[in-house]
Amino acid sequence: MTTRAWTWTYEGYDPGAERLREALCTLGNGYFGTRGAASETSEGPAHYPGTYAAGVYNRLISTVAGRQVENEDMVNLPNWLPLRYRVRPEGAAPGPWLSPDGPHLLTHRQSLDLRHGTLTRWSVYEDDAGRRLRVEQCRLVHMGEPHLAAQRTSFTAEGWAGTVEVESGLDGDVRNAGVERYGDLANRHLTHLRTGAERDDTVVWLRCRTVNSDIRIALAARTRVTDRPAHPPHARLTVGQAVQTLTIPVGRDETVAVDKTVALYTSRDPAISGPQTTAVQEVRRAADFPRLLASHHRAWERIWREAALDVPGEAGRILRLHLFHVLQTLSPHTAGLDVGVPARGLHGEAYRGHVFWDELFVLPFLNLHFPEVSRSLLGYRHRRLPAAIHAARSVGRRGAMYPWQSGSDGREETQELHLNPRSGRWLPDHSRLQHHVGSAVAYNVWQYCQASGDTEFLHTDGAETLLQIARFWASSAVWDPALERYRIRGVVGPDEYHDGYPDATVPGLDDNAYTNVTAAWVLTRALELCRTLPLSHRHQLFDRIRLAPSEQDGWDDIAHRLHVPYHAGVISQFAGYGDLAELDWEGYRKRYGDIRRLDRILEAEGDTANRYQASKQADVLMLGYLFSPRELAGLFRQLGHSLDDDSWRATVDYYLARTSHGSTLSSLVHAWVLARVRREDAWAFAEEALAGDVADVQGGTTAEGIHLGAMAGTLDFVQRGLTGLETRDNALWLDPAPLPQLSKFGVGIRYRSHWDVDLRIRAQRVRIAVPDGTDGPVRVVLDGVESVIAPGTTRRLELPGV
Ligand code: BGC
């Protein structure tokens, strides 16, 4: 792998690495994404073409381990990539269809151009007589016109003349088969496939619909030879495939180019007469490839301007790739859609395109660049508030219980059984007890409003969401007279290894510290909101959700008296964590090498992670990710504990020694927390977080989709983690903690009406530039000292301790 600042290049064709490259070379625009798969073939285990439109889900029933289970999946849509070719040199018989898997491939290279949002693939094929065909293919998923994609394939006949035969198709014969572990589950989501051709075969289309959610989908394709109207395509149609064939004469050393333009619509789209009609119409009207490419470049240029991140070296290159994939999944187009944050991007099928708490790692970054996207993602949650209220009611609670995994309508989508590939056993999945997802939603509402100054949202949908989550926490808290504390029992924390006490007959744990402290925070913010809501909004909202003053008194009490368990002088991950057995970490490392998925190893041994003080990922330490040291100490004070630097450090050390980092989120959170506690160790975790997807650290999982939370989290690690940036009380608060390995960087942020506030850290200095023409000055607080920076001016501040 060689990289330059704005390109990711893979030299050579490596079937074993192809699926990983497909995921990392995915192109998307927030509306849909297409994996960077070969166009020549989709056969064999090396290839998994996938196209996913944000929010297009379907549910199917499968039978596994003798049980019927229902799963909802983000649907793999018909493949628009197919374009294969073969040559017929003058006086010779046609050669075979060429593909990177075939014997005729001489060289191959592919490169992702991040600045321009294109994937280019170069191949040279040579036939048995030594005649070479040079192929260059440039692909885009249009960032300006979200329904369009295009692909130009150029053929150069090196030293011979003859014809190139091309088949360009839309393939509806697809399934959701991208994740091996899901192999036993039903996976045919598309039905009622039809194809057709229009206008003398210049356009073909394919339409279908999803089996259960009944979403209609249509793709239309126009394939033509550049500058050669005399060689029109011919259509060949079957039920599930629409193919255009072209036979193109090519002179000696001449280059001919074939352009394929595709439009994708679904019945979820507004302002259309029907997916098929509109797709055909759009593709007919679409500009030619050079003009599409130019407008695509311009759209990316605008996006990059709003997401400026300037980090030198290899870290900067990886961060740019992360930013690219975050923006391809959640772009300005997302703002018009009813979709959430898919944990694995629009890049693959792992976790079925579901929406988890991972948005906690994504929105804080977006808030300071694309606040309208954040707002739309919060809208996805608010529109599913009735489902969350219903879920709470169904377990006898009040308020909103957001699902651990969310999809189309906001019901709980967490699988009931999951497969341990190591043991081959299907096991009950209790991760739905991770009710802390509600705190993540509330935290994002608050953070978004603080960063954007969107009081309209804060006082309406935002307030409603936050208050209903607070109400859920209040109704989950039970008073324990012996402890004289409120307890939240029967939950699972962020660490998914522990879903119950050893030998217990019911799942769930008590007093998960992360859950309780974030619940206290939510209740506190809810009360603050109740006090500060403008009267008119307050009356309306309180009346609608029937919130009485007495209920608020109860919240206040709980917010001060939730139980936080301790053992051995550290915060306990949950009550009883300290009583669990210690794991022989060295022994397991020696025996298994990679023990990130210790849960699977132990289960395969007939044991369970529930018995050990061994965590999959940051759990207690998540508190240091969410809250600044000042805010965290305040929260603990409120709960009747003192959290000083020493006790926090002891807690960090304790869990650091007992965590296997089985989630990409873990190294990120550890880097963030250690940057303030144990600076010398932070970089190793930052490096691991950066390597997460590009080096496929979790062993094969990236091929199934990128880890969007970790990718966005690394961006935010620079933006907020290392700068200590907080947006509160109408000011930017800074508390920089640059690492020696990352002590020089810059971020351009959009803070309220101030577009592009430039924040640069250089060793011991902070430089803040507020552009001219912005609304009023920006208040910045560093080390307790406030600076008011006027538009058009730059201020240099010294870091404390210098
Ligand atoms: C992690 C969760 C995360 C999920 C989706 C799991 O492996 O443990 O924290 O939400 O992946 O990314």
Side-chain angles (χ1 to χ4, degrees):
M1 159 105 237
T2 58
T3 58
R4 285 185 297 119
W6 286 85
T7 54
W8 280 76
T9 303
Y10 294 98
E11 296 288 349
Y13 173 65
D14 175 359
E18 185 64 5
R19 284 190 177 211
L20 172 65
R21 294 178 183 183
E22 287 177 353
L24 290 171
C25 290
T26 293
L27 296 178
N29 57 20
Y31 174 79
F32 79 104
T34 295
R35 287 164 63 84
S39 72
E40 295 83 4
T41 177
S42 56
E43 274 163 32
H47 308 284
Y48 192 73
T51 287
Y52 312 96
V56 173
Y57 292 104
N58 181 62
R59 52 184 73 249
L60 291 175
I61 293 176
S62 320
T63 307
V64 283
R67 264 178 69 178
Q68 288 217 321
V69 293
E70 187 177 297
N71 286 303
E72 183 175 73
D73 284 82
M74 178 170 81
V75 178
N76 184 16
L77 302 182
N79 183 15
W80 65 269
L81 295 179
L83 192 136
R84 63 175 188 166
Y85 37 84
R86 60 181 177 183
V87 298
R88 181 177 198 160
E90 273 163 9
W97 294 106
L98 298 167
S99 117
D101 295 315
H104 300 289
L105 183 74
L106 212 57
T107 64
H108 183 81
R109 182 158 66 92
Q110 70 186 52
S111 186
L112 192 60
D113 179 339
L114 307 179
R115 193 190 295 278
H116 300 114
T118 51
L119 172 67
T120 307
R121 305 167 63 241
W122 296 267
S123 320
V124 178
Y125 294 94
E126 188 178 76
D127 70 10
D128 296 339
R131 285 173 293 232
R132 289 188 178 178
L133 178 74
R134 185 173 293 276
V135 184
E136 178 177 332
Q137 184 178 73
C138 176
R139 183 184 297 171
L140 64 89
V141 170
H142 206 286
M143 192 44 104
E145 311 215 22
H147 298 276
L148 284 185
Q151 177 166 271
R152 165 169 281 191
T153 315
S154 310
F155 303 95
T156 308
E158 293 203 337
W160 55 272
T163 55
V164 179
E165 200 180 317
V166 172
E167 280 190 6
S168 163
L170 299 171
D171 181 7
D173 185 19
V174 297
R175 292 168 302 141
N176 272 51
V179 178
E180 215 185 313
R181 289 184 305 290
Y182 305 163
D184 288 348
L185 304 171
N187 61 14
R188 287 238 175 235
H189 293 277
L190 300 176
T191 180
H192 289 75
L193 286 123
R194 302 274 182 285
T195 56
E198 305 226 343
R199 298 225 159 182
D200 298 334
D201 294 350
T202 53
V203 170
V204 291
W205 54 262
L206 183 155
R207 71 164 198 247
C208 55
R209 61 183 168 82
T210 54
V211 169
N212 185 286
S213 52
D214 203 17
I215 299 172
R216 284 171 295 124
I217 297 144
L219 290 104
R222 177 186 78 190
T223 311
R224 60 190 186 195
V225 191
T226 318
D227 307 328
R228 302 233 182 147
H231 298 278
H234 296 289
R236 206 181 60 227
L237 306 173
T238 60
V239 173
Q241 283 168 336
V243 177
Q244 290 174 295
T245 61
L246 298 120
T247 305
I248 315 151
V250 55
R252 193 186 177 86
D253 293 325
E254 195 189 8
T255 300
V256 290
V258 173
D259 292 345
K260 179 175 189 178
T261 311
V262 173
L264 165 65
Y265 277 86
T266 82
S267 52
R268 281 170 51 91
D269 295 323
I272 61 166
S273 85
Q276 182 199 324
T277 318
T278 309
V280 168
Q281 177 180 297
E282 173 120 349
V283 93
R284 272 205 332 239
R285 288 182 188 161
D288 60 16
F289 188 82
R291 279 192 292 158
L292 279 180
L293 190 64
S295 54
H296 176 64
H297 286 180
R298 285 197 298 279
W300 265 108
E301 215 176 283
R302 282 194 297 277
I303 291 210
W304 283 119
R305 262 205 306 274
E306 289 181 46
L309 187 76
D310 182 10
V311 176
E314 184 62 11
R317 274 194 283 267
I318 297 176
L319 286 167
R320 200 167 290 121
L321 180 79
H322 288 184
L323 187 45
F324 180 70
H325 285 303
V326 170
L327 296 173
Q328 291 200 110
T329 311
L330 304 166
S331 82
H333 299 297
T334 310
L337 306 173
D338 177 31
V339 301
V341 176
R344 306 300 283 273
L346 298 170
H347 298 59
E349 292 160 14
Y351 293 131
R352 307 189 162 85
H354 290 173
V355 178
F356 295 63
W357 75 322
D358 300 44
E359 63 195 34
L360 184 59
F361 301 85
V362 178
L363 265 68
F365 176 77
L366 293 178
N367 290 343
L368 292 165
H369 301 278
F370 301 95
E372 61 287 348
V373 176
S374 293
R375 179 172 173 154
S376 165
L377 296 167
L378 291 169
Y380 165 86
R381 291 298 196 175
H382 179 257
R383 283 186 289 278
R384 285 152 186 80
L385 189 57
I389 292 173
H390 174 76
R393 211 175 285 144
S394 69
V395 293
R397 303 205 195 148
R398 303 187 64 216
M401 183 171 87
Y402 273 98
W404 173 239
Q405 297 188 27
S406 183
S408 59
D409 62 6
R411 77 179 82 168
E412 180 59 79
E413 300 291 359
T414 304
Q415 57 196 346
E416 287 161 37
L417 296 175
H418 66 238
L419 177 72
N420 179 359
R422 213 176 245 281
S423 67
R425 278 191 284 271
W426 285 92
L427 306 159
D429 190 321
H430 302 303
S431 56
R432 65 183 59 213
L433 295 176
Q434 290 189 67
H435 301 321
H436 64 82
V437 60
S439 292
V441 175
Y443 182 88
N444 274 340
V445 166
W446 190 261
Q447 287 290 336
Y448 159 73
C449 294
Q450 290 285 322
S452 66
D454 185 348
T455 46
E456 202 264 327
F457 179 75
L458 181 65
H459 295 158
T460 53
D461 297 355
E464 188 176 9
T465 309
L466 201 143
L467 296 188
Q468 291 286 20
I469 295 168
R471 178 177 262 166
F472 172 71
W473 284 134
S475 100
S476 302
V478 285
W479 179 249
D480 184 328
L483 277 176
E484 298 207 318
R485 287 277 177 180
Y486 289 97
R487 311 182 67 182
I488 297 176
R489 310 187 72 165
V491 300
V492 170
D495 159 33
E496 302 190 322
Y497 283 178
H498 293 96
D499 65 354
Y501 289 101
D503 308 322
T505 49
V506 286
L509 303 156
D510 302 333
D511 310 309
N512 171 253
Y514 173 77
T515 303
N516 288 11
V517 175
T518 58
W521 181 87
V522 172
L523 288 161
T524 309
R525 293 286 83 82
L527 289 165
E528 187 178 332
L529 201 51
C530 288
R531 281 195 304 275
T532 52
L533 269 182
L535 261 187
S536 54
H537 288 94
R538 192 184 313 169
H539 287 323
Q540 250 185 26
L541 186 59
F542 286 13
D543 190 45
R544 196 168 65 247
I545 69 171
R546 294 165 186 269
L547 182 64
S550 57
E551 190 176 349
Q552 293 172 45
D553 292 344
W555 292 5
D556 191 51
D557 195 37
I558 297 166
H560 286 85
R561 298 166 84 183
L562 266 163
H563 182 44
V564 180
Y566 278 82
H567 70 275
V570 301
I571 304 164
S572 303
Q573 189 173 304
F574 50 81
Y577 186 89
D579 301 333
L580 301 179
E582 290 283 10
L583 185 89
D584 172 14
W585 290 90
E586 266 327 296
Y588 272 90
R589 282 204 179 97
K590 239 185 237 145
R591 205 162 340 139
Y592 291 98
D594 184 349
I595 56 163
R596 283 192 176 81
R597 292 310 303 263
L598 191 59
D599 57 333
R600 292 180 177 165
I601 293 175
L602 289 167
E603 194 278 329
E605 287 181 343
D607 203 345
T608 164
N610 277 330
R611 291 205 317 118
Y612 300 97
Q613 295 189 37
S615 302
K616 177 182 182 187
Q617 64 199 94
D619 191 305
V620 176
L621 302 196
M622 274 299 302
L623 294 171
Y625 179 81
L626 255 54
F627 305 116
S628 67
R630 177 200 59 86
E631 192 170 14
L632 190 58
L635 267 170
F636 272 77
R637 221 175 9 258
Q638 171 178 321
L639 289 165
H641 300 281
S642 112
L643 184 72
D644 55 20
D645 286 355
D646 287 346
S647 55
W648 178 243
R649 194 181 301 264
T651 301
V652 170
D653 287 347
Y654 191 87
Y655 290 101
L656 195 52
R658 291 167 177 79
T659 303
S660 77
H661 309 294
S663 157
T664 52
L665 298 172
S666 195
S667 45
L668 165 71
V669 175
H670 280 85
W672 188 294
V673 168
L674 292 180
R676 292 187 184 269
V677 174
R678 285 231 254 111
R679 244 152 63 93
E680 62 287 3
D681 294 331
W683 183 244
F685 287 97
E687 276 191 309
E688 168 137 343
L690 287 169
D693 276 327
V694 296
D696 194 14
V697 165
Q698 299 285 340
T701 60
T702 299
E704 303 166 345
I706 55 155
H707 298 82
L708 196 71
M711 279 196 171
T714 55
L715 302 169
D716 204 30
F717 173 65
V718 177
Q719 179 172 285
R720 289 191 313 137
L722 297 183
T723 59
L725 176 64
E726 289 180 88
T727 50
R728 59 182 163 90
D729 309 326
N730 296 318
L732 297 176
W733 298 68
L734 295 171
D735 180 14
L739 299 177
Q741 300 87 344
L742 204 62
S743 59
K744 267 180 24 183
F745 58 87
V747 289
I749 58 167
R750 183 161 142 199
Y751 174 58
R752 304 197 163 184
S753 54
H754 306 281
W755 288 63
D756 202 16
V757 173
D758 188 57
L759 192 71
R760 268 169 206 281
I761 306 253
R762 289 269 177 285
Q764 296 303 330
R765 283 231 170 86
V766 188
R767 176 181 162 281
I768 305 153
V770 176
D772 216 354
T774 57
D775 251 10
V778 174
R779 289 172 55 226
V780 176
V781 186
L782 178 69
D783 201 24
V785 181
E786 180 177 321
S787 310
V788 179
I789 307 176
T793 61
T794 298
R795 187 72 58 86
R796 288 183 175 76
L797 306 169
E798 290 288 327
L799 293 194
V802 180

